[in-house]
Amino acid sequence: FKSYVVSHVIKDLPANSHMQADALVPVPAEFEKSFSGDNYGILLGPTYLRLRSGADIKTLEEKLTKTIQTKNKWIDMRLQPVSDLHAGSTQISYDYFNHNKIDVKYISLFIIIAIAIFIIACCNFINLTIAIAAYRGKEIGVKRIAGASRSQLVIQLLAEAFLSVLMALMLGIVLAHFSLPLLNKLLGRSMPESDLYQWPVLAAYGSVLLIATILAGIYPAILIAYTKVNLSIKSKVLFTSSRSSVRNLLATGQFAI
């Protein structure tokens, strides 16, 4: 039994931090002298360094390893950015203080799956837009006769795609907000709902909105806007069967994914 004096109180560490502790205590001097002493094989945990700007990390690693191996040839000294600790430490032994660490390969896998789903959704959106727009011949023809330019039609159709993607994105955010507690419980994590509304994430939402609008909206918009006026007025169907090859390619691609 040993008594300690509380010298400082700090606020709770963030729940998503790799470093979690109820208390921080120094290594006692008698421990260093008695047990650790000249025992260069003892591994107490990670050491954090703040390097000078522009420091040569590779050279420093080599010097540290060379120094420690004069005492114990089985130990390598490796430096790692703090930002990589949580998901990039699976190969490090005795990493006991890395709370809830995860293999970055799983994160990459989920990102790939998300991108695949995103591409499938864009393919579906293009096909459905073309299928619905195929029966807008008279509308497009009347607008062209009334003086609407092709560029104006493209902007109108892109605006329609933008609103559709925006509504889908808002629905996705709502679903993510209410599903996050269940995901935390399932994975043993503690990601707060507020993480969904941080600036980097909001910027990602904006990027997805623009990319999805362009990917899913530009082809149908150009296809519809550049249809011949006489074909638009005379036929209820805006496109001929020759246009179906792209749709078939998109459908095949999404099923392949």
Side-chain angles (χ1 to χ4, degrees), residues 27-243:
V27 177
E30 58 267 25
F31 178 83
E32 292 184 359
K33 293 177 182 178
S34 61
F35 184 72
S36 62
D38 295 330
N39 183 1
Y40 294 98
I42 185 172
L43 301 170
L44 293 176
T47 300
Y48 293 87
L49 306 174
R50 175 176 288 177
L51 304 181
R52 288 196 303 267
S53 178
D56 189 335
I57 296 176
K58 188 69 176 176
T59 301
L60 181 57
E61 276 186 331
E62 291 174 356
K63 288 182 177 179
L64 289 172
T65 297
K66 185 177 180 180
T67 300
I68 193 64
Q69 286 187 350
T70 60
K71 305 295 183 181
N72 188 323
K73 64 178 182 179
W74 306 109
I75 298 178
D76 291 332
M77 300 292 284
R78 301 179 186 177
L79 299 178
Q80 184 181 35
V82 174
S83 57
D84 294 345
L85 292 180
H86 181 63
S89 304
T90 53
Q91 303 301 321
I92 298 177
S93 302
Y94 307 102
D95 191 26
Y96 299 129
F97 300 100
N98 195 341
H99 180 68
N100 267 347
K101 74 175 181 179
I102 188 173
D103 192 337
V104 70
K105 289 185 291 187
Y106 293 110
I107 299 176
S108 301
L109 178 62
F110 282 121
I111 291 175
I112 292 171
I113 293 172
I115 293 174
I117 294 173
F118 178 71
I119 293 173
I120 290 173
C122 287
C123 293
N124 271 327
F125 186 83
I126 292 172
N127 279 331
L128 291 173
T129 302
I130 294 175
I132 295 171
Y135 296 93
R136 297 175 63 178
K138 292 194 182 329
E139 174 198 344
I140 301 301
V142 168
K143 286 182 177 179
R144 288 292 310 281
I145 292 172
S149 65
R150 287 191 173 100
S151 60
Q152 288 174 326
L153 290 174
V154 169
I155 291 173
Q156 175 205 330
L157 294 163
L158 279 176
E160 293 175 3
F162 178 85
L163 291 175
S164 298
V165 175
L166 179 61
M167 288 188 289
L169 180 62
M170 293 173 64
L171 177 60
I173 294 172
V174 170
L175 289 173
H177 180 94
F178 289 103
S179 300
L180 194 55
L182 179 61
L183 183 66
N184 283 331
K185 185 177 180 180
L186 181 66
L187 299 180
R189 303 284 153 174
S190 55
M191 296 179 287
E193 288 85 347
S194 59
D195 283 355
L196 296 172
Y197 310 105
Q198 303 295 327
W199 276 115
V201 182
L202 294 176
Y205 295 156
S207 300
V208 169
L209 179 60
L210 292 177
I211 293 172
T213 300
I214 293 172
L215 285 180
I218 192 69
Y219 175 71
I222 293 175
L223 190 64
I224 295 168
Y226 282 80
T227 301
K228 295 180 180 179
V229 176
N230 59 346
L231 178 63
S232 303
I233 296 296
K234 291 179 181 179
S235 176
K236 291 183 178 180
V237 179
L238 199 58
F239 310 127
T240 59
S241 58
S242 62
R243 301 290 189 181

